[in-house]
């Protein structure tokens, strides 16, 4: 196992550096490293690591969501509230709908499997979007209209919404009926998850001020509490729907609101943790990809992804129809909503692990969506923000 860990880290860092020099997202290099090291290529990753890959991907998702929460001001969320809500649901819903309708035509899959595929592909990537929006805030681009804040908040909630929809599709696949509780599951789980996050942030502000401890110890405590939030979600899901991931993000927002000095220090800590979490997330999802299936689905998968993206772009403009954003600013928001990576890496392999007949296909399309949209979205965001956003000093 030690050899596998060494190979994962060394090849991921090396490939990430090469892709960065090429002005491409480093995560693409990490993903390709996983494909090369995985069982469908060189088979150099120990089975023990692959067996815990699901838990490692969950930990990486916790890191990125808590980090996003630490970057958000409650006052900014109030300003962008309505726009953020619309952007959190409309683009993802339209993209899921496009895939739901077209996937059974392109591939021999059921509508439940196509719904599952839609929920896997639809989420925007916090791994690519969050760091760039934080940089735009620091550089004061689009800050007068709170555009980076809007994208940061709505993209994070977009991920939670898509993940909840994904879990609902899994329940439907496993035979659960569509009941009234299933319908209200999403808003109720978001509300209860937010409440748990607010309470956690408020209480821990008091605890951290009352009891002195190193920031490293605080990070370990926060990690443990975040794990418990996820455990609580699964333990009581049949009685009370609550989103543990929403709780994690709102926990970060709450700490930022009640204890901003600590939040800024913790943000630095979580940036360092993300270095290893990011490697494990993308290398391991690349490792479980069956590369032999890609040539068989290539052109149809690309067509499906492109059509879904067109639906998402139109949905972004629809969501911002009555906003005070200019056409250039709306275009930048649309570009920011293109890249996919983190959520696809975190949940793309779950259908395969559950024995879904089209699990290989779902994972393959998820990885292809990362390879296509991550460099495209990153390139468009990096090359256009100075032209599309105002520089507010």
């Amino acid at each position: 196992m030690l050899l596998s860990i060494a190979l994962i880290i060394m090849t991921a860092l090396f490939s990430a550096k090469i892709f960065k020099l090429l002005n491409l997202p480093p995560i693409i290099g990490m993903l390709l490293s996983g494909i090369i090291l995985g069982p469908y290529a060189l088979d150099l990753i120990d089975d023990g690591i692959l067996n815990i890959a699901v838990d490692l991907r969950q930990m990486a998702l916790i890191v990125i969501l808590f980090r996003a929460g630490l970057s958000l001001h409650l006052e900014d969320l109030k300003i962008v509230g309505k726009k953020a809500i619309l952007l959190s649901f409309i683009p993802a819903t339209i993209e899921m709908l496009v895939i739901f309708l077209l996937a059974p035509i392109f591939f021999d899959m059921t509508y439940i499997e196509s719904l599952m595929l839609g929920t896997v592909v639809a989420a925007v990537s916090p791994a690519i979007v969050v760091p760039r929006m934080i940089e735009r805030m620091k550089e004061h681009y689009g800050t007068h209209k709170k555009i980076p804040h809007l994208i940061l908040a709505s993209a994070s909630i977009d991920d939670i919404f898509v993940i909840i929809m994904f879990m609902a599709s899994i329940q439907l696949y496993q035979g659960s009926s569509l009941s009234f509780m299933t319908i209200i599951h999403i808003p109720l789980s978001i509300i209860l998850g937010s409440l748990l996050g607010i309470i956690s942030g408020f209480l821990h502000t008091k605890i951290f001020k009352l009891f002195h401890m190193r920031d490293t110890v605080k990070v370990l405590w926060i990690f443990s509490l975040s794990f418990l939030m996820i455990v609580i979600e699964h333990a009581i899901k049949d009685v009370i729907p609550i989103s543990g991931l929403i709780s994690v993000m709102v926990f970060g927002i709450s700490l930022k609101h009640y204890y901003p000095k600590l939040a800024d220090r913790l943000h630095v800590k979580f940036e360092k943790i993300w270095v290893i979490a990011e490697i494990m997330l993308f290398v391991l999802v690349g490792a479980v990809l069956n590369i032999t299936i890609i040539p068989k689905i290539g052109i149809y998968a690309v067509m499906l992804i492109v059509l879904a993206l067109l639906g998402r772009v139109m949905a972004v403009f629809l969501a911002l129809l009555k906003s005070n954003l200019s056409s250039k600013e709306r275009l930048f928001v649309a570009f920011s909503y293109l890249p996919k990576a983190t959520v696809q890496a975190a949940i793309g392999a779950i259908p395969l692990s559950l024995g879904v007949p089209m699990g290989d296909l779902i994972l393959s399309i998820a990885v292809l969506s990362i390879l296509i949209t991550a460099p495209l979205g990153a390139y468009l965001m990096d090359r256009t923000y100075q032209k599309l956003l105002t520089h507010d000093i």
Side-chain angles (χ1 to χ4, degrees):
M1 185 178 289
L2 291 177
L3 175 60
S4 295
I5 294 173
L7 289 173
I8 287 172
I9 294 174
M10 292 173 70
T11 55
L13 290 175
F14 178 73
S15 59
K17 183 65 175 178
I18 291 175
F19 273 74
K20 189 173 183 180
L21 290 173
L22 295 172
N23 289 321
L24 293 171
I27 57 173
I28 302 298
M30 298 177 191
L31 192 62
L32 293 176
S33 295
I35 294 173
I36 294 169
L37 295 174
Y40 295 99
L42 299 180
D43 194 16
L44 295 176
I45 299 180
D46 190 274
D47 288 341
I49 296 176
L50 293 176
N51 290 337
I52 61 170
V54 173
D55 294 319
L56 292 174
R57 289 194 294 267
Q58 187 83 67
M59 292 169 65
L61 201 55
I62 286 172
V63 173
I64 194 64
L65 288 175
F66 190 80
R67 183 185 170 202
L70 291 175
S71 304
L72 292 169
H73 293 270
L74 192 59
E75 292 75 15
D76 294 331
L77 288 179
K78 292 177 181 177
I79 294 173
V80 302
K82 183 180 178 181
K83 295 192 291 288
I85 291 172
L86 293 175
L87 278 173
S88 300
F89 299 102
I90 294 177
T93 301
I94 296 298
E95 186 169 8
M96 280 188 280
L97 183 61
V98 171
I99 294 174
F100 173 72
L101 294 174
L102 295 181
I105 299 174
F106 288 172
F107 308 104
D108 184 21
M109 64 192 322
T110 66
Y111 279 105
I112 291 181
E113 288 171 330
S114 68
L115 175 62
M116 204 179 296
L117 173 61
T119 58
V120 168
V121 174
V124 70
S125 170
I128 295 176
V129 173
V130 168
R132 283 171 169 79
M133 292 309 109
I134 293 173
E135 285 301 313
R136 300 298 82 80
M137 291 179 194
K138 292 178 181 178
E139 297 169 354
H140 301 286
Y141 275 96
T143 51
H144 177 68
K145 294 183 181 178
K146 305 295 181 185
I147 295 172
H149 310 76
L150 169 66
I151 296 169
L152 194 61
S154 57
S156 300
I157 301 172
D158 170 284
D159 292 339
I160 303 298
F161 168 63
V162 170
I163 290 169
I164 293 172
M165 289 296 292
F166 170 74
M167 298 311 298
S169 72
I170 292 291
Q171 290 175 1
L172 286 173
Y173 173 78
Q174 293 174 337
S176 299
S177 59
L178 189 63
S179 63
F180 175 71
M181 282 304 297
T182 305
I183 296 172
I184 68 166
H185 181 275
I186 294 175
L188 191 57
S189 63
I190 290 175
I191 292 170
L192 294 178
S194 299
L195 184 61
L196 177 59
I198 292 169
I199 293 171
S200 300
F202 177 77
L203 291 178
H204 281 80
T205 297
K206 302 295 183 183
I207 292 171
F208 290 151
K209 287 182 177 180
L210 188 62
F211 300 102
H212 176 73
M213 61 184 82
R214 294 174 60 186
D215 286 346
T216 303
V217 177
K218 293 187 181 81
V219 168
L220 291 174
W221 181 265
I222 288 168
F223 255 123
S224 300
L225 183 63
S226 298
F227 297 157
L228 283 176
M229 288 175 174
I230 304 299
V231 171
I232 289 171
E233 174 186 356
H234 292 292
I236 65 173
K237 64 180 181 181
D238 294 329
V239 182
I240 303 173
I242 183 169
S243 172
L245 294 174
I246 276 283
S247 300
V248 171
M249 188 180 72
V250 176
F251 183 17
I253 295 172
S254 186
L255 271 182
K256 178 72 173 179
H257 177 70
Y258 292 116
Y259 202 168
K261 289 184 179 179
L262 173 62
D264 292 339
R265 299 202 307 269
L266 291 178
H267 191 274
V268 175
K269 294 281 187 182
F270 273 87
E271 280 185 338
K272 295 175 181 178
I273 294 171
W274 177 241
V275 173
I276 185 63
E278 185 179 42
I279 289 173
M280 288 299 174
L281 176 62
F282 290 100
V283 170
L284 290 179
V285 78
V288 297
L289 173 66
N290 184 355
I291 56 176
T292 61
I293 198 176
I294 292 181
K296 302 174 185 177
I297 64 163
I299 186 65
Y300 294 107
V302 172
M303 286 172 58
L304 182 64
I305 291 167
V306 170
L307 291 171
L309 286 179
L310 290 175
R312 172 173 278 271
V313 169
M314 289 188 289
V316 168
F317 278 90
L318 177 64
L320 297 174
L321 199 59
K322 295 185 178 181
S323 70
N324 63 340
L325 273 58
S326 67
S327 57
K328 287 184 177 181
E329 291 165 338
R330 294 177 192 182
L331 183 59
F332 179 78
V333 176
F335 287 160
S336 302
Y337 256 55
L338 290 179
K340 304 175 185 302
T342 318
V343 176
Q344 288 71 27
I347 67 176
I350 293 178
L352 180 62
S353 67
L354 293 175
V356 176
M358 288 293 174
D360 268 337
L361 177 64
I362 291 172
L363 176 59
S364 299
I365 295 175
V367 173
L368 276 176
S369 73
I370 297 173
L371 294 174
I372 293 169
T373 65
L376 176 64
Y379 177 83
L380 290 174
M381 280 189 285
D382 293 343
R383 292 289 183 265
T384 64
Y385 75 91
Q386 291 178 325
K387 296 177 182 178
L388 300 180
L389 300 179
T390 58
H391 193 198
D392 308 311
I393 301 177

